[in-house]
Structures are given as C-alpha cells and as structure tokens.
Amino acid sequence: AQKQEIVRVGRIIRPLEEDNMRHWYWDDVFVDLGGRKVQRGNRFHVVRPTTPIAHPATGARVGVKVKTLGTVEIVSTAGASPRAKVTYNCEDLADGDLLVEAREWTPPQRGVSQPAHLRVGGTIVGSKDDADALGPGDIVYVDVGQKHGIVPGDEFSIYRMSGAGISPDSGRAIPLAPTKQGELVVIRTSAQAATGLVTVSNINLRVGEPLVLFRKMP
C-alpha cells in the first residue's frame, strides 16, 4: 500500500504482563487511541508496515509491504489507556504496532469468475516471505489494483519469457515468447496494487514474472 492508505487509529503501547515482549492470542495489551472514545467490544486490526517494495523492472517505488498481524478487542476503557485483548493473530504482535479500523475480509468465491473483458497486464513485484522460489500457496504482491479495475476474485495467468536461442535448422535467432507457467487469484486490493495467492505453477516462480488478467469477477 501507499503510506497514505494506512489510516491508523492508534497503536499498541505496552502489555499487561510486563515480561511479555511479544503478544499472542489472548494476551492483554494497553493501546493508545489518541483520546478516541471506544466501548468494550470494539475491534481493531493490528498492522505493521515493513519494507518498501521497488518494481523489479523499473526500480520505481510501488509501495510499502504491510503485514496484517491480528485483531484486538477492547475489554476495558478505565484509565488513560484502554486495555485490549488479542483475539486473533497470525504472527507475534509487538509494542508500536498500528491499529486500523476492523473490517471483514470476505474470501473470494472460486468458480464464479468469467472470462475477462479487461486487457490488464501486470508484474509480480514482491512476496510475503521474500522467497526466491514461489509456488502454490504463496502470497505475492502485484502492481495493479483498484484503479485498474481489479477486485478480489480476479484471476491472472503468470508468464515467463522463454525460447531465446538459435534455431538449429535456419541458424536464426529464436525470439523470446511468453509461456504460461502459473495462475494466481486476487485476495485483497489497494488503489495501485493487489495481494494474490498463487494457485498453480508449472515451475518455481519468482518476483518479476509478468501477468495477464484472464478471469474476472462478474
């Protein structure tokens, strides 16, 4: 995401148990909401902006990788800092992690997309785990998003340029040609980018692979 898209409403400031350097499921933490009025039961997602992502072809900055770490729920509003309980997490939470408005993310329905009418191409510009080789189940980031008409559930074909060499028959150079090597489904979007789940790969994929939209949510 771009930095201006990360609309923080607060942050974790310290744990209830002072020995807890990292916070996990069912731990209690104190949060700073900047004086915002909250009630017991209010929920917030916990996010952590990490490294900038540069486009592998141009070097231009695409955005900042944002990890969604978990969810906290307000359990007490007494005192200067509300107390919240970690009700879900997929990674350790820590002091300083940001709170954003909670929203429900609906998984895209498979099998309801249709052949794409939009001609949208893009590139894999990063991956969640910074892996050198990518395959089914890996989370990747692509450089097209809401402003390009992309929504969760859209599906892209993943290509690799191949075929360069010299023809043994004619001695002429064989040009590079795109060969489909995988597929991904979009699971979340921001204005200029999207997060995708690799569903098919014929080879070990990598950052920099080009994409073409082939199925679109109706």
Side-chain angles (χ1 to χ4, degrees), residues 34 38 45 52 57 114 121 144 147 150 154 158 162 191 194 197:
V38 292
H45 290 325
Q114 301 172 354
V144 288
K147 290 188 176 180
I150 302 304
D154 289 352
I158 305 170
S162 61
L197 173 70

Side-chain angles (χ1 to χ4, degrees), residues 71-134:
T71 305
V72 297
E73 181 177 313
I74 301 298
V75 295
S76 174
T77 59
S81 300
R83 180 161 54 91
K85 187 175 292 293
V86 180
T87 56
Y88 174 81
N89 68 296
C90 50
E91 294 189 36
D92 288 350
L93 281 57
D95 296 351
D97 285 338
L98 305 183
L99 306 182
V100 298
E101 295 285 0
R103 58 173 294 188
E104 297 300 326
W105 296 99
T106 303
Q109 296 179 336
R110 302 304 307 277
V112 299
S113 56
Q114 301 172 354
H117 60 278
L118 293 175
R119 297 182 63 85
V120 178
T123 304
I124 296 176
V125 296
S127 71
K128 177 178 180 292
D129 298 318
D130 297 323
D132 293 328
L134 303 168

